Amino acid sequence: MKNRSFWIKLSVATLASSSVISLVTYLLANGPLAAKALANQRTILQEKQARIEQWWQGEVKDIGKDLRNPKLVENSLTILQAKRHSRADINSATSLALEAILTSHQINRNSVSLLTKGGIVVFSTDHDKYAAYQPLKNTTTSLELQELASTPLNFFTNSNTGLPSISVALPIYVGAKKKAGFFAIDLNLRKLNNQIVDPAPSSKDAQLPGSSPIKSYLVARTSLDQATFIAPPAQSPPDYEFKPLDSVGIRKALDGNSGEGFYLNSEGVPVIGIYQYLPNFRTALLVESRQKDIYASSRTMGLQIFEAGALLSLLSLGMGLLIDRKDNQPIEP
């Protein structure tokens, strides 16, 4: 009886010890894994931020080239200073010549328009905009060329397309200081969003030990109380619906903060993430990984220790039962 009691106690002690060691191992391993994940995310965020900055500097440079192009300015002034405007002007020689000049920089732009000082569209590479009203406050950001590189741009939902938009309007002058109208550009936010898209991982990268999937995305407020992606994600359907996004990281970033932490993402999944506010576009750049993926190796290690302890516990219990059975066998005469 004493032997059985010993083996049962040993079995319980083995199971309890393995459980504690498994939990401690899991918790101790999580710290370095989280630190490694955050360090990797910082590197990725810096790379993506640099790509966005390079993209924007290139576009600012191209806009400057346009506004310093004598032929573009001449054709623009001809259109802006015309006494009357009609829809037939879309196909006029001046409009076609202006449109041809603008095609060289159209990859990063949805459209380019000429606005009167009152905000009426009198030319646009998007012919559906002709004669529309485009306000120069609250939505379109009106500024001087030298302010373009550093001035925060307004982010809004386009009332015609329903898409997140950024539009900038730069004055075209007659003489030194007299404005004839505005050169307005609707940025192609898909191209901005492409700056943070990761290339498809190679089979070698996909097999790296300890690697965990990383998600990067750009978010902006399209109203005072709602934030969404700035453009449809890659390979999204044509009828993609922009849904409100919310998390601690998104809120802090859009309030102008940059940092990192553990929080629930918009889908309610625990993540480790790093976030950065991009003042040029009033946009948040987030880089996140699921905690489940980051802690996978420590969870596996802890589970292996627990399974080994459970096996030893069962062996101890079996040994005790075997010895007890042997001791209780009747003695043959």
Side-chain angles (χ1 to χ4, degrees):
M1 190 70 173
K2 288 183 178 179
N3 286 335
R4 183 174 65 178
S5 176
F6 167 77
W7 287 106
I8 291 175
K9 290 178 180 179
L10 179 61
S11 174
V12 172
T14 301
L15 183 62
S17 298
S18 64
S19 299
V20 172
I21 294 172
S22 171
L23 179 61
V24 171
T25 301
Y26 172 72
L27 294 175
L28 289 178
N30 281 353
L33 289 173
K36 181 180 178 181
L38 285 170
N40 188 32
Q41 288 175 355
R42 290 188 202 103
T43 300
I44 291 172
L45 185 138
Q46 289 170 1
E47 291 174 353
K48 294 178 185 297
Q49 190 175 3
R51 278 157 52 182
I52 291 172
E53 181 63 26
Q54 184 178 13
W55 176 85
W56 181 230
Q57 287 177 356
E59 180 59 11
V60 170
K61 184 178 179 180
D62 286 344
I63 293 172
K65 286 181 180 178
D66 284 340
L67 290 174
R68 286 187 288 269
N69 185 329
K71 291 184 178 179
L72 183 145
V73 174
E74 180 183 351
N75 287 321
S76 298
L77 288 175
T78 299
I79 294 171
L80 288 168
Q81 294 178 314
K83 293 183 178 180
R84 294 182 180 181
H85 298 95
S86 70
R87 193 163 188 83
D89 293 338
I90 293 174
N91 297 315
S92 69
T94 303
S95 292
L96 293 176
L98 181 56
E99 197 160 345
I101 294 171
L102 293 168
T103 55
S104 61
H105 299 151
Q106 66 183 0
I107 188 170
N108 291 323
R109 309 168 185 178
N110 289 329
S111 65
V112 179
S113 307
L114 290 178
L115 310 181
T116 65
K117 289 183 286 186
I120 302 299
V121 178
V122 292
F123 163 86
S124 180
T125 55
D126 178 357
H127 293 179
D128 291 337
K129 286 188 173 184
Y130 189 86
Y133 171 62
Q134 186 168 325
L136 294 167
K137 294 182 179 180
N138 300 326
T139 54
T140 300
T141 308
S142 177
L143 38 65
E144 298 289 339
L145 178 60
Q146 62 270 24
E147 300 173 319
L148 183 59
S150 58
T151 300
L153 307 177
N154 294 330
F155 209 105
F156 65 99
T157 300
N158 189 300
S159 58
N160 294 322
T161 64
L163 298 175
S165 301
I166 291 179
S167 294
V168 294
L170 301 110
I172 294 179
Y173 289 97
V174 179
K177 295 184 178 180
K178 185 179 179 182
K179 293 179 182 177
F182 295 88
F183 183 74
I185 297 169
D186 180 17
L187 294 178
N188 185 345
L189 297 185
R190 283 182 180 268
K191 292 297 181 182
L192 172 57
N193 203 53
N194 285 347
Q195 307 312 307
I196 65 154
V197 174
D198 295 310
S202 65
S203 57
K204 181 179 179 181
D205 293 336
Q207 295 173 1
L208 288 175
S211 61
S212 57
I214 295 175
K215 181 180 180 181
S216 306
Y217 56 99
L218 289 167
V219 179
R221 284 197 178 102
T222 50
S223 66
L224 291 176
D225 58 353
Q226 181 170 304
T228 66
F229 294 125
I230 69 162
Q235 301 178 340
S236 57
D239 58 347
Y240 175 80
E241 181 182 354
F242 286 88
K243 296 181 179 179
L245 302 175
D246 183 54
S247 72
V248 170
I250 290 173
R251 289 196 298 272
K252 286 186 176 180
L254 291 179
D255 285 340
N257 303 301
S258 298
E260 57 194 38
F262 302 73
Y263 53 88
L264 301 179
N265 66 11
S266 289
E267 298 171 350
V269 176
V271 297
I272 295 178
I274 185 167
Y275 46 88
Q276 177 79 36
Y277 181 63
L278 307 179
N280 279 92
F281 308 105
R282 304 180 193 267
T283 298
L285 170 59
L286 294 99
V287 180
E288 298 172 343
S289 297
R290 297 189 305 176
Q291 294 181 27
K292 175 183 177 180
D293 296 326
I294 291 173
Y295 298 146
S297 60
S298 63
R299 187 168 56 251
T300 300
M301 188 188 306
L303 184 60
Q304 289 173 341
I305 292 173
F306 176 77
E307 289 174 345
L311 180 60
L312 288 174
S313 176
L314 288 173
L315 289 174
S316 299
L317 184 61
M319 184 66 71
L321 293 174
L322 183 63
I323 292 174
D324 182 64
R325 182 179 178 183
K326 186 176 180 180
D327 290 343
N328 290 328
Q329 282 183 352
I331 299 174
E332 295 182 2

